[in-house]
Amino acid sequence: MSSVAHQGEQFVRANGIDICYEIFGAADAEPMLLIMGLGAQMVLWDDAFCAHLAARGFRVIRFDNRDIGRSSKLSGGKRLTPLELLKLRFLHIPVTAPYKLDDMAKDTVGVMDALGIHSAHLVGASMGGMIAQEVAISFPHRLRSLTSIMSTTGNPRVPPPSRQATAVLMAPPPNTKDEFITRFAQTYKILRTGRFPQDEALDRSRAERIFARGLSPAGSGRQLRAILASGSRKERLASVKAPTLVIHGTADPLVHPFGGKDTAASIPGAKLLMIEGMGHVLAVELWPQIIDAIAAHAHGAAAKAA
């Protein structure tokens, strides 16, 4: 792969907060925004992953969501309790939250506004997929295409995470750097569900980079509340007109594979790619298949729009 242009961390004011972002690729290439998931910094879109996409002809923009990484931290919202989860699941009593996914969708549009991007290809992973879906519903003219990865619709009929994955979500935050590095490796071993040696070898360096950029346990908690307070998008997704690709792993322990199938079934004309053995991680060994699918989908959407 030839080298691609790279602009390091910068900040824009978007939707009333400061968002940290980076850009890979040529200024005149097709714009593509990458939206990361719950409690996940933008660097979990690995540098090489972004560079590979940029080499396919995209201007790739990754950014820290609100409340994570180097973007603005908000306030409010107590740590989620098991009792609240039980009330939500069995009694349908909604969780309270300082903000919801539609606010995070406005953050995404705000980043585009600040960078002078009228429309872009949106690629969202997990919670990022939910945010991208909200953009597609509320700001349809801002999307050239939508790719929703290991995400779901908010439909309460989607089976819950596995017990191990739920334990990861609800675990108290680590207190020291060493604890964080150990927890990171333990967490991703559960989320990967299987042997992925290249990723296992990168766990420590990834954890150190994330720790150095700054942790925000309270922010991750507010993001989780945002997901649970936002309810189902299933019916509203029927209005989505953007060309849509849904990618999901058959072994996902956090967002059940039915979540991906439900997303594809809810969006008219959506294509579904189920990847055998993929968990809730963009494992390096699976990059060729994932990147090929994203690039082909986005270029196909651009060609149809031309």
Side-chain angles (χ1 to χ4, degrees):
M1 181 185 64
S2 59
S3 61
V4 299
H6 176 216
Q7 298 177 35
E9 290 187 3
Q10 300 175 67
F11 292 85
V12 291
R13 192 74 178 169
N15 195 25
I17 60 175
D18 294 320
I19 298 287
C20 181
Y21 73 97
E22 283 185 83
I23 300 178
F24 297 77
D28 59 350
E30 287 272 321
M32 176 178 286
L33 268 69
L34 307 183
I35 313 172
M36 216 351 121
L38 173 65
Q41 296 184 12
M42 66 176 178
V43 295
L44 282 174
W45 296 108
D46 278 52
D47 293 7
F49 184 94
C50 296
H52 278 295
L53 274 175
R56 300 294 188 92
F58 299 102
R59 183 188 183 202
V60 178
I61 299 142
R62 66 181 182 185
F63 62 95
D64 286 323
N65 287 311
R66 62 166 63 195
D67 254 339
I68 210 73
R70 300 190 67 203
S71 290
S72 288
K73 310 302 184 296
L74 284 81
S75 61
K78 297 179 181 178
R79 183 172 176 78
L80 194 72
T81 66
L83 179 59
E84 285 180 286
L85 288 177
L86 288 171
K87 286 181 177 178
L88 175 67
R89 184 155 190 83
F90 296 108
L91 301 177
H92 305 294
I93 298 173
V95 168
T96 59
Y99 54 83
K100 295 183 180 181
L101 292 175
D102 59 352
D103 296 298
M104 302 181 82
K106 292 172 185 174
D107 295 346
T108 302
V109 172
V111 170
M112 294 171 64
D113 288 341
L115 297 179
I117 298 170
H118 176 69
S119 63
H121 304 284
L122 295 192
V123 180
S126 195
M127 180 187 73
M130 302 173 197
I131 295 168
Q133 291 170 27
E134 286 285 358
V135 177
I137 292 165
S138 299
F139 304 94
H141 58 291
R142 307 305 296 267
L143 271 76
R144 301 186 185 190
S145 72
L146 167 64
T147 301
S148 180
I149 306 174
M150 56 196 185
S151 193
T152 186
T153 60
N155 179 358
R157 294 189 177 182
V158 173
S162 70
R163 287 187 178 182
Q164 280 188 310
T166 299
V168 164
L169 274 183
M170 301 303 291
N175 295 313
T176 67
K177 180 179 179 180
D178 287 343
E179 286 180 8
F180 176 75
I181 290 171
T182 299
R183 175 77 62 79
F184 185 93
Q186 293 170 341
T187 297
Y188 278 84
K189 182 178 181 181
I190 291 168
L191 296 182
R192 278 190 291 261
T193 63
R195 288 280 296 152
F196 292 93
Q198 292 184 65
D199 283 272
E200 291 162 20
L202 291 169
D203 277 344
R204 184 175 187 88
S205 61
R206 285 171 171 167
E208 288 177 339
R209 185 178 189 185
I210 289 166
F211 187 88
R213 295 183 78 246
L215 303 184
S216 179
S220 298
R222 284 188 287 271
Q223 289 183 353
L224 180 56
R225 283 186 173 276
I227 293 171
L228 298 175
S230 294
S232 177
R233 293 170 297 285
K234 184 172 178 61
E235 291 186 1
R236 293 186 296 131
L237 285 169
S239 70
V240 172
K241 302 250 184 331
T244 299
L245 170 66
V246 178
I247 301 175
H248 214 102
T250 61
D252 195 325
L254 188 62
V255 178
H256 193 279
F258 182 71
K261 294 175 183 178
D262 192 49
T263 303
S266 302
I267 300 174
K271 297 177 289 184
L272 175 64
L273 172 61
M274 298 297 295
I275 298 181
E276 188 65 33
M278 174 176 156
H280 199 75
V281 173
L282 299 172
V284 175
E285 285 90 337
L286 300 176
W287 282 5
Q289 189 175 1
I290 296 168
I291 290 170
D292 281 351
I294 294 171
H297 174 63
H299 281 311
K304 286 182 179 179

